């Protein structure tokens, strides 16, 4: 479980998150939605222990995330960030292997190799394994970074706009896979995603957290909380949630 | 190329360069005027080793700095490290002129570390969108430190010293006067042990930390190695610009940045290139010499311009 209590995060003198309290239970996909500058990305970084809290606390599995040693934290929480600016030239396979670094520290075991191979096949990267990441398209690179975070085998998987550079086929592929691995069963992941793709959120999320101006507007099961009224208010433009072919989607109202 | 073939080729090139370096010089080994064995032991071999150690060290320091600031277009010489080391050297020369080489180098290394850390603080405020901006800032920063060093040297009559620290050359290397450079041979294996950690630095602070790296500790340790290597080179043979910039870029372009695989190759290319420049410097105006640093700067500047144009924007951003 992740428990956030009265979290305030400042950037300089400006509060990005103010007095925020939240709980995340295990399993499922939680979509963090809200307009630009709402503090979604900051919240994700704070949960991953990458941003110091000005006040309040983030607990992951009962432990204060600010006090967990980095190599241990990397086995609890994996964060995928926006990846368009990376200096190191690595092959896709090496990059995914670095997802296992906290386990193998440079000497991959048979188990590590197994997970790396599994990650490559899960995210449709087998044909690209020996390509340099800077020679890939934006979408391919994005998938490589998702595979890296997945390979960390953490119970919590935090993804910051993973759909940004993906074409519709890969949006669907990725969301279906994330949905599958967040169902109960062995190796179940709890997934929190920052997303701007509202139709994808309407289709795949189990819960939503709507944020604006560093605060939570509403949170709860997607079916109850993701409504035309909430979205229109959140994004300050007319939006509606409609049923299409057995699933929900979001359309301009 | 297969690893075996690659290393065999690398070894052969290195062996050929070492032979050439030992054989070539103002005096002939076989004329009978001088004791050839003594000449080799006192001058030629130390000189060869100094070039190899300095070259390898500078190339490795270059990799670390590039990964640490996530910019392909910098090296210690472009972030003020040698200038800071010179300031430290001036200080220790003024305060304790009789100090041993080891003490002088330690002070220089400490000053180099402080100078480099100040640049890191500065770098945080430089916009990352254009990768050329950071080396420019570094150039100005290094220029200011260099000017301060020159001013101190002028007012204290130490300009001659400064000259020897600033222009890297190997003609003055004799047995007993270069051994500090063996510190590179001690530090290089340590760096190799940390190869993965340095690669992780190159993925950026957030990514590195989320993958489990103790970022600050790694960064500090890496920059400490850079400072020590740079100080050792400045004290013994003088600064050689561009080695740390060009060599890692060539290796990265050819083989990527998995440092566990590539660090030995980077060290090899740095060592070979600097030795080759030293040999060339001995030959061009024989029996007079051109400093290896000058020769490398000519090639280095050309390669730097090529890098600026040829590198895909994304790769060094």
């Amino acid at each position: 479980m992740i428990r956030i209590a009265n979290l305030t995060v400042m950037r300089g003198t400006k509060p990005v998150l103010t007095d925020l309290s939240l709980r995340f239970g295990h399993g499922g996909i939680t979509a963090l939605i809200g307009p630009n500058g709402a503090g979604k990305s900051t919240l994700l970084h704070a949960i991953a222990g990458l941003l110091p809290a000005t006040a309040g606390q983030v607990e992951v599995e009962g432990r204060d995330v600010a006090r967990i040693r980095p190599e241990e934290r990397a086995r609890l929480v994996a964060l995928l960030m926006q990846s368009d600016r990376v200096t190191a030239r690595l092959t896709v396979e090496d990059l995914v292997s670095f997802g296992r670094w906290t386990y193998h520290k440079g000497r991959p075991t048979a188990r590590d190799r197994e997970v790396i191979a599994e990650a490559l096949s899960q995210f449709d990267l087998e044909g690209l394994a020996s390509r340099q990441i800077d020679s890939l398209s934006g979408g391919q690179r994005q998938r490589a970074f998702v595979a890296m975070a997945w390979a960390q085998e953490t119970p919590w998987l935090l993804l910051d706009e993973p759909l940004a550079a993906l074409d519709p086929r890969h949006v669907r592929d990725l969301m279906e896979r994330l949905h599958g691995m967040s169902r109960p069963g062995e190796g179940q992941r709890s997934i929190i995603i920052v997303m701007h793709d509202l139709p994808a959120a309407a289709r795949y999320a189990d819960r939503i957290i709507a944020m604006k101006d560093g605060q939570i507007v509403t949170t709860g099961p997607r079916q109850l909380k993701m409504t035309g009224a909430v979205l229109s208010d959140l994004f300050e433009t007319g939006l509606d949630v409609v049923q299409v072919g057995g699933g929900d989607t979001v359309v301009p109202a | 190329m297969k690893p075996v073939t690659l290393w065999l080729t690398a070894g052969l090139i290195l062996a050929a360069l070492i032979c050439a370096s030992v054989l070539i010089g103002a005096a002939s080994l076989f004329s009978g005027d001088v004791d050839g064995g003594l000449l080799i032991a006192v001058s030629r071999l130390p000189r060869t080793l100094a070039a190899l150690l300095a070259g390898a060290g500078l190339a490795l320091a270059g990799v670390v700095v590039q990964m640490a600031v996530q910019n392909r277009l910098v090296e210690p010489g472009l972030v003020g490290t040698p200038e800071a080391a010179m300031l430290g050297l001036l200080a220790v020369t003024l305060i304790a002129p009789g100090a041993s080489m080891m003490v002088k180098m330690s002070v220089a290394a400490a000053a180099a570390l402080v100078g480099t850390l100040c640049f890191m603080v500065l770098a945080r405020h430089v916009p990352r969108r254009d990768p050329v901006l950071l080396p420019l800032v570094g150039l100005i920063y290094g220029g200011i430190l260099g000017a301060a060093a020159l001013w101190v040297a002028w007012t204290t009559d130490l300009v001659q010293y400064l000259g020897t620290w600033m222009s890297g050359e190997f003609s003055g290397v004799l047995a007993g006067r270069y051994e500090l450079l063996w510190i590179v041979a001690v530090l290089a294996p340590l760096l190799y042990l940390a190869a993965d950690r340095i690669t992780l630095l190159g993925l950026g602070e957030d990514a590195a930390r989320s993958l489990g790296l103790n970022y600050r500790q790694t960064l500090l340790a890496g920059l400490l190695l850079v400072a020590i290597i740079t100080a050792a080179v400045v004290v013994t043979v003088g600064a050689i610009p561009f080695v740390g910039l060009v060599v890692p870029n060539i290796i990265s372009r050819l083989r990527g940045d998995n440092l566990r695989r590539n660090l030995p190759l980077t060290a090899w290319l740095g060592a070979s290139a600097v030795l080759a420049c030293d040999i060339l410097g001995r030959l061009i105006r024989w029996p007079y010499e051109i400093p290896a640093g000058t020769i490398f700067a000519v090639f280095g500047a050309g390669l730097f311009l090529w890098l600026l144009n040829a590198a895909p924007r994304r790769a060094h951003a």
Side-chain angles (χ1 to χ4, degrees):
Chain A
M1 188 169 93
I2 292 179
R3 204 176 63 85
I4 299 170
N6 306 104
L7 178 69
T8 297
V9 174
M10 312 272 275
R11 285 230 164 115
T13 54
K14 192 172 158 280
V16 188
L17 299 175
T18 20
D19 198 28
L20 197 141
S21 295
L22 258 182
R23 275 165 194 270
F24 296 87
H26 282 292
I29 294 181
T30 306
L32 267 172
I33 57 172
N36 296 327
K40 309 180 294 292
S41 205
T42 305
L43 178 59
L44 226 50
H45 279 72
I47 295 173
L50 301 183
L51 266 183
T54 312
Q57 193 181 36
V58 178
E59 272 181 14
V60 179
E61 309 298 347
R63 300 173 63 188
D64 183 347
V65 81
R67 291 168 188 275
I68 309 177
R69 289 189 307 137
E71 58 258 46
E72 236 178 300
R73 198 184 55 217
R75 300 175 193 197
L76 267 182
V77 186
L79 171 65
L80 169 89
M81 52 217 85
Q82 286 143 9
S83 60
D84 44 348
R85 210 178 46 80
V86 168
T87 308
R89 295 184 73 226
L90 295 171
T91 62
V92 171
E93 190 171 7
D94 285 344
L95 183 78
V96 175
S97 172
F98 270 108
R100 303 289 299 168
W101 185 77
T102 178
Y103 301 96
H104 65 57
K105 296 285 170 71
R107 294 164 190 273
T109 61
R111 161 96 185 115
D112 291 315
R113 289 206 189 86
E114 208 176 283
V115 177
I116 293 163
E118 172 75 20
L120 291 174
S121 90
Q122 278 268 344
F123 296 96
D124 200 12
L125 292 163
E126 282 148 320
L128 304 172
S130 55
R131 288 269 297 273
Q132 297 283 348
I133 45 175
D134 62 358
S135 74
L136 303 178
S137 74
Q140 293 169 329
R141 195 166 56 242
Q142 184 74 327
R143 281 187 282 134
F145 276 86
V146 176
M148 176 181 80
W150 183 86
Q152 280 178 257
E153 282 195 308
T154 52
W156 294 92
L157 193 53
L158 316 181
L159 309 171
D160 195 355
E161 293 191 40
L163 309 179
L166 300 185
D167 59 37
R169 185 193 130 206
H170 282 108
V171 167
R172 173 183 285 207
D173 278 5
L174 179 61
M175 289 312 297
E176 299 270 342
R177 276 187 189 120
L178 294 175
H179 189 262
M181 67 184 69
S182 65
R183 297 309 103 187
E186 204 193 332
Q188 183 193 18
R189 311 291 184 97
S190 313
I191 299 173
I192 307 174
I193 314 184
V194 170
M195 54 204 295
H196 283 297
D197 185 338
L198 294 177
R203 192 166 186 87
Y204 296 103
D206 297 293
R207 282 178 300 276
I208 62 151
I209 295 174
M211 288 183 72
K212 198 177 195 174
D213 300 327
Q215 280 171 322
I216 292 178
V217 177
T218 183
T219 169
R222 193 243 318 152
Q223 288 90 338
L224 292 178
K225 297 292 183 175
M226 198 156 176
T227 59
V230 167
L231 293 180
S232 301
D233 190 41
L234 188 65
F235 291 99
E236 294 170 18
T237 180
L239 291 166
D240 208 356
V241 179
V242 295
Q243 280 228 327
V244 177
D248 285 348
T249 192
V250 177
V251 293
Chain B
M1 222 189 286
K2 278 197 195 137
V4 186
T5 338
L6 182 73
W7 284 110
L8 213 61
T9 318
L12 283 175
I13 292 173
L14 195 60
L17 284 170
I18 291 172
C19 289
S21 172
V22 169
L23 290 174
I24 293 166
S28 165
L29 287 178
F30 310 108
S31 68
D33 301 340
V34 288
D35 179 347
L38 186 71
L39 183 62
I40 290 176
V42 175
S43 166
R44 298 277 172 84
L45 200 57
R47 176 175 191 161
T48 305
L49 289 169
L52 292 175
L53 290 166
L58 289 170
L60 293 175
V63 176
V64 176
V65 170
Q66 287 175 11
M67 291 293 161
V69 298
Q70 289 199 75
N71 188 311
R72 281 257 159 250
L73 300 178
V74 296
E75 64 142 359
L78 283 173
V79 303
T81 314
E83 286 83 0
M86 287 172 207
L87 276 171
L89 275 175
L90 282 172
V92 73
T93 308
L94 288 171
I95 296 162
S100 70
M101 276 285 254
M102 196 63 202
V103 171
K104 283 185 176 167
M105 195 215 69
S106 304
V107 174
L113 182 62
V114 172
T116 314
L117 288 175
C118 286
F119 176 80
M120 295 298 291
V121 174
L122 206 62
R124 281 181 170 264
H125 301 286
V126 178
R128 288 308 176 92
R129 211 156 304 136
D130 189 352
V132 182
L133 215 50
L134 195 64
L136 281 180
V137 171
L139 215 55
I140 295 166
Y141 174 71
I144 293 170
L145 292 184
L150 188 58
W151 177 75
V152 174
W154 258 110
T155 52
T156 54
D157 225 6
L158 289 173
V159 176
Q160 242 181 352
Y161 280 90
L162 201 62
T164 63
W165 298 330
M166 272 174 152
S167 79
E169 57 118 11
F170 298 93
S171 64
V173 173
L174 291 172
R177 283 178 52 185
Y178 83 102
E179 280 75 2
L180 215 51
L181 276 175
W182 280 101
I183 209 160
V184 172
V186 177
L187 295 182
L190 287 180
L191 198 62
Y192 185 67
L193 286 178
D196 279 342
R197 291 179 162 81
I198 306 293
T199 309
L200 279 166
L201 287 183
L203 289 179
E205 177 169 356
D206 280 349
R209 289 177 61 204
S210 118
L211 290 171
L213 184 74
N214 189 329
Y215 183 80
R216 273 169 186 266
Q217 195 186 327
T218 308
L219 190 66
L220 200 63
L223 294 182
L224 182 64
L225 289 188
V226 169
I228 295 174
I229 289 174
T230 308
V233 171
V234 168
V235 171
T236 50
V237 297
I240 308 172
F242 290 115
V243 180
L245 177 70
V246 172
V247 171
N249 270 295
I250 293 174
I251 298 293
S252 164
R253 193 65 63 79
L254 297 176
R255 314 252 310 166
D257 283 324
N258 191 332
L259 297 184
R260 181 164 296 280
R261 231 168 278 150
N262 294 344
L263 268 188
L265 214 55
T266 306
W268 167 80
L269 186 59
S272 304
V274 169
L275 185 57
C277 285
D278 186 43
I279 295 171
L280 212 58
R282 279 181 255 171
L283 287 174
I284 291 175
R285 291 178 59 215
W286 191 87
Y288 304 104
E289 294 198 7
I290 300 171
T294 311
I295 305 263
F296 200 100
V298 171
F299 286 114
L303 279 163
F304 186 64
L305 286 176
W306 169 71
L307 281 172
L308 277 180
N309 280 310
R313 226 43 175 174
R314 201 192 299 136
H316 56 64

